[in-house]
Amino acid sequence: MRLRFDHDCSIDTDRRELSRGDRDLSLSPKAYDLLILLLEARPKAMTKAQLCRALWPRTFVVPANLANLIAEIRMVLGDDAHHPRIIRTLHRFGYAFVAHADVVPATLAHHWLRWKTTDLPLYAGENIVGRAGDAHICLDVPGVSRCHARVMVEGDTVTLEDLASKNGTFVDGHRITTPRVLAPGDRVTFGQATVTLRAASSESSTTTLPSGR
């Protein structure tokens, strides 16, 4: 899901991307997760206890950890704690996301990777495949490196590149060492995961295109 707030800020929860205008913004993983929690709860406030349980389950943390994450989000977004536009502090209670947020209609993916019975959409530009939680295509499967490969989508052209993964990337059983243009139906193997490239033009008219991961 993609949301726009504070005039020119946008966040893509599927790709874990945050930006203001055409400039990418960077948050630590925990700060990003906190921002998502507050966004999803809007306009309701969340207590500090709720947020700590969600961010650090079964772990005791000092209150300053949460306050530091809020300060990080405010600094990156240019928000003011004394005159908040985005995150408001409810003293002795918690925090609330107060900026108006609009859902941006998603652009339907025209290419995707089919893994077992799951469709993993590929979007225009760079799509990182790997085991890391912030990878565009996250495959938590044995043999998959954290940042295993890159899939570039430029119009109708889909190019696959291995990112020096430990176990390599294979197309139809052959290991690739240079960027490879893929065709619909190509079988790609990352570690113990094998996926098949699909494209809108290669599917029957009764197939519904995937809208998300």
Side-chain angles (χ1 to χ4, degrees), residues 23-42:
R23 181 168 58 93
D24 291 336
L25 303 178
S26 179
L27 284 174
S28 66
K30 284 293 184 185
Y32 182 90
D33 291 341
L34 173 56
L35 178 59
I36 293 298
L37 286 170
L38 294 172
L39 261 168
E40 291 178 342
R42 70 185 193 287

Side-chain angles (χ1 to χ4, degrees), residues 3 5-6 20 45 47 52 56 69 93 97 117 122 136 141 147 151-152 154 198 206-207 211:
L3 295 163
F5 61 93
D6 197 36
R20 180 180 288 281
T47 68
C52 286
W56 298 283
L69 293 180
F93 183 82
F97 188 93
T117 59
L122 297 169
H136 301 116
V141 176
C147 293
V151 182
M152 291 294 299
E154 299 174 298
R198 297 295 184 186
T206 60
T207 300
S211 59

